[in-house]
């Protein structure tokens, strides 16, 4: 396993070294373009007739409710869910711990997430990704059993290369409300960073496009979700995935190993600078 991780680190290093000069060149171009625009005192183009609403304060609470969650022990437990204007889902042990100011059990950033409401649709998505492994019994590690659900209205949150999350409601109206705010979280986490007009973001997006084209990958826009680190990780993972699958020591059947490997890539890749 250690030798496999060393091999994996070497492949990530190689990809980062290939990407770095492309980014640096695009950053220089973006920086010069910004200076030119400032010198010519150009006004930002207006593409919309209607003014956008001002963003709420990051600390503003948009949603808070007791929700049944399927935890790591594979049991349903009631947790107090809080979603602020940062569009991060905070899961507290209870309402009392939230009032005491305790830290949440976990904070979920649903970047790239897909929301489903039936086990059938969820398992179809799992089956579609099953090319990552060779084990026919991996489904046992995914969706919670329908028997024993505390309500009739489940919500499945499928996250790429990360642990999925499951919620359940006894009232359909509460399910609809939760899906609405969760959809907002996914949308904001996917696109807010990439909408920034800074030189860094402009250069990064162009560099990702050129890097993918250099590798013969022209349809990589589905990877452009989340922050620069998340996009970089998705790019490295997808471009290297064929090589990873050739070694069982790196990617074995999905029983958590793919998540572990992706987290390892996160550590190695995030430590690089352009």
């Amino acid at each position: 396993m250690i030798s496999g991780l060393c091999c994996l680190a070497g492949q990530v290093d190689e990809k980062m070294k290939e990407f770095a000069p492309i980014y640096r060149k695009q950053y220089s171009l973006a920086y010069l373009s910004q200076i030119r625009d400032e010198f010519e005192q150009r006004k930002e183009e207006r593409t919309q007739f209607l003014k956008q609403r001002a963003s709420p304060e990051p600390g503003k609470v948009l949603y808070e409710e007791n929700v049944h969650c399927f935890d790591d022990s594979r049991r349903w437990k009631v947790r107090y869910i809080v979603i602020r204007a940062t569009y991060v889902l905070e899961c507290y042990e209870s309402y009392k711990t939230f009032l005491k100011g305790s830290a949440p059990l976990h904070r979920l950033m649903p970047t790239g997430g897909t929301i489903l409401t039936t086990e059938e649709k969820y398992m179809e998505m799992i089956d579609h990704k099953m090319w990552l492994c060779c084990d026919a019994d991996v489904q046992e590690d995914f969706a919670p059993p329908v028997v024993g659900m505390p309500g009739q209205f489940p919500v499945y949150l499928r996250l790429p290369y990360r642990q999925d999350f499951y919620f359940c409601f006894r009232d359909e109206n509460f399910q609809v409300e939760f899906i609405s705010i969760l959809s907002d979280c996914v949308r904001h986490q996917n696109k807010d960073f990439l909408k920034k007009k800074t030189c860094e973001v402009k250069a990064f997006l162009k560099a990702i496009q050129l890097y993918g084209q250099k590798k013969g990958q022209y349809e990589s826009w589905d990877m452009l979700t989340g922050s620069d680190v998340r996009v970089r990780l998705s790019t490295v993972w997808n471009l290297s995935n064929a090589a990873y699958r050739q070694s069982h020591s790196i990617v074995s059947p999905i029983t958590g190993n793919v998540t572990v490997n992706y987290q390892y890539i996160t550590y190695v890749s995030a430590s690089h600078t352009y």
Side-chain angles (χ1 to χ4, degrees):
M1 181 62 182
I2 295 177
S3 61
L5 291 178
C6 292
C7 178
L8 183 60
Q11 293 187 32
V12 174
D13 286 336
E14 179 184 352
K15 300 300 179 184
M16 291 300 103
K17 289 178 181 179
E18 293 175 353
F19 178 76
I22 300 176
Y23 171 80
R24 286 195 291 265
K25 179 179 180 179
Q26 293 306 314
Y27 179 83
S28 298
L29 294 175
Y31 183 70
L32 291 174
S33 178
Q34 181 179 359
I35 294 178
R36 182 193 63 189
D37 291 346
E38 292 176 354
F39 181 77
E40 297 178 359
Q41 296 182 349
R42 293 182 178 178
K43 295 183 178 180
E44 183 179 358
E45 296 180 359
R46 296 183 178 181
T47 58
Q48 296 182 350
F49 293 101
L50 299 177
K51 293 183 178 180
Q52 293 183 346
R53 291 183 300 175
S55 300
E57 293 294 325
K60 181 180 179 180
V61 175
L62 305 179
Y63 177 90
E64 52 181 329
E65 191 65 63
N66 284 311
V67 178
H68 285 92
C69 304
F70 198 68
D71 68 2
D72 293 336
S73 66
R74 297 192 65 79
R75 295 180 180 179
W76 289 101
K77 294 183 179 181
V78 176
R79 300 301 187 194
Y80 193 69
I81 302 297
V82 177
I83 299 177
R84 307 178 193 273
T86 54
Y87 300 99
V88 175
L89 188 149
E90 301 174 358
C91 180
Y92 294 87
E93 185 175 2
S94 65
Y95 178 62
K96 290 183 179 179
T97 59
F98 169 70
L99 290 180
K100 290 180 181 178
S102 303
L105 296 175
H106 57 259
R107 301 175 74 252
L108 170 62
M109 298 179 64
T111 310
T114 301
I115 303 170
L116 305 106
T117 57
T118 66
E119 184 182 29
E120 291 75 16
K121 293 293 184 182
Y122 175 73
M123 295 313 301
E124 283 180 10
M125 178 168 286
I126 297 298
D127 292 338
H128 182 67
K129 299 296 183 180
M130 209 54 66
W131 56 272
L132 282 170
C133 67
C134 306
D135 194 340
D137 297 324
V138 295
Q139 292 186 357
E140 296 179 359
D141 296 323
F142 286 96
V146 176
V147 178
M149 274 192 178
Q152 298 179 341
F153 304 99
V155 175
Y156 302 84
L157 178 60
R158 175 65 173 155
L159 297 172
Y161 308 118
R162 289 172 289 156
Q163 176 184 348
D164 296 345
F165 284 81
Y166 315 101
F167 312 91
C168 193
F169 299 85
R170 295 176 178 173
D171 189 298
E172 186 177 10
N173 293 328
F174 286 106
Q175 181 203 43
V176 171
E177 180 185 6
F178 181 74
I179 290 176
S180 177
I181 187 63
L182 188 59
S183 299
D184 287 342
C185 292
V186 173
R187 176 169 53 85
H188 282 277
Q189 291 291 341
N190 284 355
K191 299 299 181 183
D192 279 1
F193 172 84
L194 302 177
K195 290 180 181 178
K196 294 180 180 179
K197 301 298 182 181
T198 63
C199 291
E200 291 81 1
V201 174
K202 291 180 179 179
F204 181 78
L205 293 178
K206 187 62 177 179
I208 284 289
Q209 179 186 5
L210 294 175
Y211 180 71
Q213 292 176 359
K214 182 180 178 181
K215 297 295 183 179
Q217 188 171 11
Y218 295 90
E219 298 180 357
S220 60
W221 297 108
D222 58 329
M223 293 184 291
L224 295 182
T225 56
S227 66
D228 58 336
V229 174
R230 181 69 64 188
V231 173
R232 188 168 21 145
L233 297 178
S234 297
T235 302
V236 171
W237 178 268
N238 280 276
L239 290 176
S240 304
N241 191 53
Y244 297 155
R245 293 204 307 269
Q246 293 176 0
S247 173
H248 292 292
S249 63
I250 298 177
V251 177
S252 53
I254 298 182
T255 54
N257 290 337
V258 170
T259 301
V260 170
N261 291 329
Y262 192 70
Q263 291 172 346
Y264 184 74
I265 294 178
T266 301
Y267 171 77
V268 176
S269 180
S271 65
H272 284 75
T273 56
Y274 305 131

